[in-house]
């Protein structure tokens, strides 16, 4: 699909202090890739400069624009970078991977033979070269040079990964359920209640400091993944005060100037929330009371719902197909008594349309003969709203201590209409089948909020680092008045009229149904780790240990309603979607009119809770001059309850399991330009709440009822990696690798024709 042929029509940047010339960058260790604190950074001509903080970051102002030379000094080693070009009114970014040598009485001067641009390019892959595992990194500089608006678009540029629906990441061919996400060092839960995934489009690209994708497990990271763990780190302390505003538009070639279908919604749909147009009617009795009403009283209640069952065509219009985007960001930094207080704030809004074609075909096999259940062609027309806010505040104390308070709020809404045609062989056996016309109208709003406080402390007196964190996360999903209506043409006979597929069952969700879903997830996370560095035979050895704790609580409730026809009335079934469910067509169930019912019972709501306790011990050993081995063990104790806390309740599921997850990563430096990596590890992938619950929901896209399986067990994954890396020149990289994974008890969906699909 071609998209965004016109990326933007307006770009405005309002920057404070135009006359300032600022140098900004980060210094890392050339061997380990770790940030270096206390590195002296000086402009050679003027002698002005500063030193790096706990993150290896530095920033200072120079007198005038032009080409300058920078001196980086640390532990008796001075590295000079020439030809750093600074422009007035702009920030010049200069990162460095510092080459450390043994300390001598005189400073060792290493003059960079490459240009400043080459040194910066080399630093972009320094982390990847020196990290303790198989990984890929995207820096803020790379993101700045791209037109990408959010993290999902940025991730599409990484080799070996792909992005589904613009937000769900596939790593090494493994779907989203086998990947994990971390935000600023804190494990994130799923942003989608019905699938194990993280929606990467919720974070604006201009708020990202870097993205790291680890493809091999080390014990310091959570152990619930198999493809990759994606670490997204947002900015915290800006180099200077700033404010930026960006307004843009674009179009998708699949929707511009083409037919697009929408349905009547609410006045605030463009903001991503429903104004009440789709809400349960005021005064509607709650679940327990509604089921006790007479059929006449239920019919009266049915007439209070909105009567919108079809999508309308907007033919060849341009304006609805144009996307709109707005990004506002700003920040400040204040220095006092050797300390620094910085903050970054941002608002983002994106609105766009999408047209998606997809096919549903299900074949069952018996004695080697295929039987088709259905064969559908679908066109899904959606309007997508992504709006969010970010606020990060960071306090740096004496350059060796940092405390950050970071917050992100996101509203991700899809308002769509799906139109279906094709053959239904469940209502009429093959080879004839029935012709089908069906529609689903839905509005799905996810609200995601995360707040976290973290601390990093460099205790130089004992060569140790302390990292701690706490986080609270909320995910709310609201699906108001999801409607489905199907018409069948008997025997695919063109002479026959299309009739609404309304059964006599008062519990059908396939056609003539209305669904309201409410889900709330609350996640509490805390943890800490300590790293101690010692020297053995004049080589640094690091031991690291830590603890991780996370609690997830879920409250789920739904109210599905069914329209059914107890007594056959063919004339009524041939009415068009805008007339068929008019109030006068509902009766008491015995007068050849429609009846109305709520699907009640304990299976349409559940609670869930999980508690994860984890601890790890990891050693980073430098053996000789060429071999580095990172190894250790992570222990995860997982306790999970789904459905009900009452063990006698048929929905009740209780799982508790302890996993021992070893990890070994060895890197052999063949020479200064070549690495060979070998890794082996054990990880797990656990079932989500939804996958274990007995709740049954008709999925229109799949054309089947989705039900959980109480008997699911975790998947254990054995991982093996072999990788060759060549860094021929500064900023250049060539890698080739092979990996093997063995999945014990993988979790997959399957079609069960014996239960009606």
């Amino acid at each position: 699909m071609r998209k965004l042929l016109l990326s933007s029509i307006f770009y405005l940047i309002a920057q404070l202090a135009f006359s300032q010339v600022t140098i900004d960058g980060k210094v890392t260790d050339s061997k380990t890739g770790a940030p270096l604190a206390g590195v002296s950074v000086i402009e050679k001509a003027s002698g002005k400069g500063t030193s790096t903080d706990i993150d290896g970051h530095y920033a200072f102002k120079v007198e005038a624009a032009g080409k300058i030379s920078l001196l980086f000094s640390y532990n008796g080693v001075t590295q000079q970078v020439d030809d750093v070009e600074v422009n007035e009114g702009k920030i010049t970014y200069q990162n460095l991977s510092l080459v450390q040598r043994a300390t001598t009485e005189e400073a060792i001067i290493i003059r960079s033979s490459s240009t400043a641009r080459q040194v910066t390019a080399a630093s972009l892959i320094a982390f990847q070269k020196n990290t303790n595992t198989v990984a890929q990194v995207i820096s803020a500089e790379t993101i700045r040079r791209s037109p990408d608006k959010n993290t999902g678009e940025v991730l599409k540029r990484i080799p070996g990964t792909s992005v589904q629906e613009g937000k769900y990441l596939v790593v090494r061919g493994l779907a989203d359920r086998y990947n994990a996400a971390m935000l600023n060092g804190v494990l994130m839960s799923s942003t989608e209640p019905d699938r194990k995934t993280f929606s990467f489009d919720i974070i604006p690209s201009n708020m990202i400091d870097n993205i790291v994708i680890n493809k091999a497990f080390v014990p310091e990271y959570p152990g619930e993944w198999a493809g990759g763990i994606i670490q997204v780190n947002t900015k915290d302390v800006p180099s200077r005060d700033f404010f930026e505003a960006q307004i843009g538009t674009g179009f998708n070639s699949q929707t511009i100037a083409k037919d697009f279908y929408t349905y009547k919604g609410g006045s605030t749909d463009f903001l991503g929330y429903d104004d009440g147009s789709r809400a349960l009617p005021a005064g509607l009795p709650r679940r327990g009371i509604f089921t006790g009403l007479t059929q006449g009283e239920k019919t009266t209640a049915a007439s209070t719902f909105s009567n919108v069952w079809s999508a309308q065509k907007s033919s060849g219009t341009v304006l609805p197909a144009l996307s709109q985007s707005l990004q506002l960001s700003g920040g400040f930094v204040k220095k006092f008594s050797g300390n620094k207080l910085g903050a970054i704030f941002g608002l983002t809004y994106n609105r766009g349309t999408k047209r998606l074609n997809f096919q549903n075909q299900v074949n069952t096999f018996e004695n080697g003969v295929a039987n088709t259940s259905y064969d559908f062609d679908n066109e899904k027309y959606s309007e997508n709203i992504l709006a969010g806010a970010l606020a990060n505040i960071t306090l740096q104390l004496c350059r060796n201590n940092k405390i950050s308070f970071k917050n992100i709020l996101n509203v991700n809404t899809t308002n769509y209409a799906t139109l279906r045609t094709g053959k239904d062989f469940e209502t009429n056996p093959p080879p004839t089948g029935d012709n089908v016309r069906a529609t689903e109208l839905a509005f799905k709003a996810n609200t995601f909020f995360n707040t976290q406080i973290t601390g990093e402390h460099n205790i130089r007196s004992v060569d140790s680092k302390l990292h701690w964190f706490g986080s609270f996360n909320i995910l709310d999903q609201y699906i108001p008045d999801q409607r489905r209506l199907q018409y069948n043409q008997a025997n695919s006979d063109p002479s026959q009229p299309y009739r609404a597929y309304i059964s006599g069952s008062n519990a059908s969700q396939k056609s003539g149904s209305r669904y309201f879903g409410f889900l709330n997830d609350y996640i509490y996370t805390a943890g800490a780790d300590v790293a101690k560095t010692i020297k053995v035979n004049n080589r640094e050895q690091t031991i690291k240990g830590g603890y991780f704790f996370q609690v997830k609580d879920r409250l789920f409730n739904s109210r599905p309603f069914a329209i059914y026809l107890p007594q056959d009335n063919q004339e009524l079934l041939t009415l068009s979607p805008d007339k068929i469910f008019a109030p006068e067509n509902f009766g008491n169930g015995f007068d050849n009119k429609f009846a109305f019912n709520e699907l009640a019972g304990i299976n349409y709501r559940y609670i869930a809770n999980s508690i994860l306790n984890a601890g790890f011990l990891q050693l980073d050993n430098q053996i000789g001059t060429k071999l580095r081995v990172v190894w250790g063990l992570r222990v995860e104790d997982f306790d999970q309850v789904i459905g009900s806390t009452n063990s006698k309740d048929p929905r009740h599921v209780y799982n508790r399991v302890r996993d021992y997850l070893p990890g070994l990563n060895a890197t052999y430096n063949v020479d200064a330009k070549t690495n060979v990596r070998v890794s082996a590890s054990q990880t797990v992938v656990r079932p989500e709440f939804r996958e274990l619950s007995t709740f049954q929901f008709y999925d229109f896209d799949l054309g089947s009822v989705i039900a959980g399986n109480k008997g699911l067990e975790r998947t254990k994954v054995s991982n093996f990696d072999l990788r060759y890396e060549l860094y021929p020149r500064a900023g250049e990289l060539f890698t080739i690798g092979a990996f093997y994974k063995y999945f014990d008890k993988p979790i997959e969906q399957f079609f069960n024709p014996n239960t009606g699909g």
Side-chain angles (χ1 to χ4, degrees):
M1 178 184 294
R2 297 167 295 167
K3 68 176 187 177
L4 281 180
L5 301 180
L6 177 63
S7 61
S8 67
I9 59 172
F10 180 76
Y11 184 71
L12 168 67
I13 300 180
Q15 294 179 319
L16 303 179
F18 286 93
S19 61
Q20 298 174 349
V21 181
T22 302
I23 302 291
D24 184 292
K26 186 174 183 178
V27 182
T28 56
D29 190 318
S30 64
K31 290 186 177 181
T32 66
L36 292 177
V39 177
S40 173
V41 186
I42 297 175
E43 184 201 358
K44 185 176 181 180
S46 66
K48 292 185 176 181
T50 184
S51 59
T52 59
D53 59 24
I54 190 173
D55 293 322
H57 176 263
Y58 72 92
F60 68 98
K61 300 179 180 63
V62 296
E63 294 293 338
K67 290 186 177 182
I68 63 173
S69 295
L70 296 177
L71 298 175
F72 297 82
S73 301
Y74 185 74
N75 285 348
V77 174
T78 297
Q79 189 163 338
Q80 181 172 317
V81 179
D82 298 319
D83 299 327
V84 180
E85 186 171 349
V86 294
N87 299 306
E88 190 167 341
K90 294 183 179 180
I91 299 175
T92 297
Y93 295 93
Q94 183 60 57
N95 299 329
L96 181 70
S97 180
L98 186 67
V99 179
Q100 293 193 62
R101 302 284 182 89
T103 303
T104 62
E105 293 182 0
E106 296 181 0
I108 299 175
I109 306 297
I110 304 174
R111 184 181 299 273
S112 174
S113 60
S114 60
T115 65
R117 180 179 295 275
Q118 289 173 322
V119 173
T120 299
S123 68
L124 300 182
I125 61 174
F127 180 93
Q128 184 168 331
K129 179 182 179 182
N130 302 306
T131 186
N132 57 11
T133 185
V134 178
Q136 289 177 285
V137 61
I138 302 178
S139 70
E141 182 173 354
T142 302
I143 297 170
R144 278 194 303 271
R145 294 175 178 175
S146 74
D148 303 322
K149 300 188 298 299
N150 59 63
T151 310
E153 295 181 356
V154 173
L155 290 171
K156 289 188 295 186
R157 301 179 181 275
I158 300 178
T161 66
S162 58
V163 178
Q164 295 178 333
E165 301 178 37
K167 52 188 175 181
Y168 305 130
L169 189 64
V170 176
V171 181
R172 288 182 160 179
L174 294 175
D176 45 5
R177 69 165 291 105
Y178 292 107
N179 303 312
M182 297 179 70
L183 180 63
N184 299 315
V186 178
L187 179 66
M188 291 288 97
S189 61
S190 174
T191 55
E192 300 293 328
D194 292 331
R195 61 192 292 181
K196 185 179 178 65
T197 188
F198 186 85
S199 179
F200 284 98
D201 62 349
I202 69 174
I203 306 173
S205 60
N206 63 341
M207 293 297 170
I208 301 172
D209 184 55
N210 60 73
I211 300 173
V212 180
I213 299 182
N214 289 88
K215 296 183 177 180
F217 170 73
V218 288
E220 65 181 291
Y221 296 133
E224 191 178 355
W225 57 280
I229 185 165
I230 298 88
Q231 302 181 62
V232 180
N233 299 299
T234 57
K235 299 176 181 178
D236 46 22
V237 179
S239 303
R240 59 175 180 175
D241 299 350
F242 76 98
F243 174 77
E244 295 180 359
Q246 179 175 334
I247 301 174
T249 188
F251 67 88
N252 187 315
S253 61
Q254 297 297 310
T255 58
I256 191 73
K258 295 183 179 180
D259 292 345
F260 195 85
Y261 287 83
T262 59
Y263 68 97
K264 183 180 179 182
S267 60
T268 57
D269 288 357
F270 74 99
L271 295 176
Y273 72 93
D274 179 59
D275 63 357
S277 301
R278 304 173 182 84
L280 287 166
L284 184 76
R286 64 178 184 269
R287 183 198 309 273
I289 296 177
F290 187 91
T291 54
L293 298 179
T294 66
Q295 189 56 57
E297 290 171 328
K298 292 179 180 179
T299 297
T300 301
S303 65
T304 62
F305 286 80
S306 65
N307 187 25
V308 178
W309 290 88
S310 61
Q312 306 302 317
K313 180 172 66 175
S314 54
S315 180
T317 56
V318 173
L319 188 59
L322 292 177
S323 64
Q324 301 104 50
S325 66
L326 169 66
Q327 288 188 359
L328 300 175
S329 59
F332 67 85
V333 57
K334 302 295 181 183
K335 298 180 180 179
F336 55 95
S337 304
N339 304 313
K340 186 187 298 183
L341 177 66
I344 290 181
F345 306 93
L347 292 172
T348 182
Y349 172 83
N350 290 280
R351 179 188 185 189
T353 56
K354 181 185 292 186
R355 177 174 170 263
L356 176 66
N357 298 323
F358 61 97
Q359 186 179 26
N360 300 112
Q361 186 181 77
V362 171
N363 296 314
T364 59
F365 293 86
E366 185 175 354
N367 298 324
V369 179
N371 294 310
T372 303
S373 296
Y374 52 77
D375 188 357
F376 297 146
D377 291 308
N378 307 273
E379 290 191 352
K380 188 173 185 177
Y381 302 86
S382 62
E383 180 182 54
N384 304 295
I385 305 297
L386 176 64
L390 180 144
N392 294 344
I393 301 174
T394 298
L395 176 64
Q396 289 186 353
L397 302 172
C398 303
R399 294 191 175 273
N400 288 314
N401 301 277
K402 183 176 77 170
I403 298 175
S404 299
F405 179 54
K406 299 184 177 183
N407 306 270
I408 186 169
L409 172 66
N410 174 264
V411 177
N412 193 343
T413 299
T414 300
N415 184 19
Y416 66 88
T418 302
L419 309 184
R420 168 175 292 165
T421 58
K423 294 279 190 178
D424 190 340
F425 298 104
E426 293 180 332
T427 57
N428 192 351
T432 307
D434 287 346
N435 285 333
V436 168
R437 292 176 184 169
T439 304
E440 181 182 56
L441 310 178
F443 183 93
K444 182 184 293 186
N446 289 343
T447 302
F448 176 83
F449 171 71
N450 176 264
T451 182
Q452 56 184 239
I453 183 169
T454 62
E456 296 180 38
H457 309 278
N458 189 5
I459 310 172
R460 304 189 67 176
S461 59
V462 292
D463 288 330
S464 299
K465 292 183 179 181
L466 170 65
H467 170 238
W468 55 268
F469 57 87
S471 173
F472 175 61
N473 190 84
I474 298 176
L475 173 63
D476 288 340
Q477 184 186 74
Y478 179 42
I479 303 177
D481 205 6
Q482 187 171 6
R483 285 149 281 177
R484 308 181 189 97
L485 180 59
Q486 178 173 317
Y487 283 79
N488 284 24
Q489 187 181 56
N491 300 313
S492 301
D493 184 355
S495 65
Q496 295 293 322
Y498 276 87
R499 291 183 174 87
Y501 182 69
I502 306 297
S503 71
S505 169
N506 65 355
S508 174
Q509 298 183 53
K510 187 172 183 178
S511 178
S513 67
R514 316 187 82 123
Y515 173 83
F516 296 79
F518 313 88
L519 183 144
N520 308 102
D521 277 352
Y522 305 94
I523 300 99
Y524 313 84
T525 306
D529 56 73
V530 179
K532 166 69 176 176
T533 301
I534 59 176
K535 284 194 175 182
V536 178
N537 296 328
N538 204 32
R539 302 197 180 280
E540 290 188 348
Q541 316 292 331
T542 301
I543 182 170
K544 189 174 186 178
Y547 170 72
F548 178 87
F549 175 74
Q550 186 175 76
V551 176
K552 296 182 183 180
D553 289 319
R554 169 171 291 186
L555 301 174
F556 173 78
N557 187 27
S558 66
R559 297 195 69 176
F561 297 89
I563 298 172
Y564 63 104
L565 189 62
Q567 296 180 333
D568 188 26
N569 186 335
Q570 294 297 313
E571 183 179 351
L572 194 62
L573 295 178
T574 58
L575 293 176
S576 62
D578 58 332
K579 296 179 181 179
I580 188 170
F581 296 133
E584 62 270 17
N585 292 331
F586 286 89
N588 58 23
F590 302 99
D591 51 5
N592 296 322
K593 293 186 177 182
F594 294 118
F596 191 68
N597 181 58
E598 179 175 7
L599 281 66
I602 59 176
N603 286 332
Y604 297 102
R605 61 187 185 277
Y606 66 87
I607 63 172
N609 167 267
S610 68
I611 301 174
L612 175 62
N613 284 276
F616 75 89
L617 183 65
Q618 176 178 297
L619 288 88
D620 189 343
N621 300 131
Q622 187 71 40
I623 303 174
T625 59
K626 293 182 175 295
L627 182 62
R628 180 186 182 189
V629 180
V630 179
W631 58 286
L633 178 69
R634 185 179 185 90
V635 182
E636 295 193 349
D637 187 273
F638 188 69
D639 193 322
Q640 188 179 48
V641 177
I642 302 99
S644 169
T645 57
N646 183 358
S647 60
K648 296 181 179 180
D649 192 313
R651 298 171 297 166
H652 177 79
V653 180
Y654 177 69
N655 293 317
R656 182 168 186 179
V657 64
R658 179 172 296 169
D659 290 299
Y660 297 88
L661 308 175
L664 170 67
N665 289 263
T667 304
Y668 183 76
N669 302 120
V670 179
D671 51 44
K673 298 180 179 181
T674 309
N675 287 340
V676 176
R677 298 184 187 270
V678 178
S679 69
S681 64
Q682 177 78 62
T683 57
V684 295
V685 179
R686 304 181 180 97
E688 283 290 291
F689 293 144
R690 175 65 182 91
E691 295 169 337
L692 288 164
S693 71
T694 57
F695 169 64
Q696 296 187 1
F697 174 75
Y698 181 79
D699 188 300
F700 186 83
D701 288 350
L702 292 179
S704 302
V705 173
I706 304 295
N709 182 351
K710 293 172 58 176
L712 289 180
E713 300 180 31
R714 77 197 186 289
T715 303
K716 298 184 71 174
V717 187
S718 300
N719 310 279
F720 303 93
D721 274 89
L722 176 64
R723 181 164 169 149
Y724 173 84
E725 300 175 348
L726 176 64
Y727 303 85
R729 291 185 299 179
E732 295 182 350
L733 166 66
F734 172 80
T735 67
I736 184 171
F739 64 90
Y740 171 82
K741 296 180 183 290
Y742 177 76
F743 294 79
D744 181 22
K745 299 178 181 178
I747 297 173
E748 299 176 352
Q749 287 187 337
F750 72 97
F751 183 78
N752 187 352
N754 297 324
T755 59

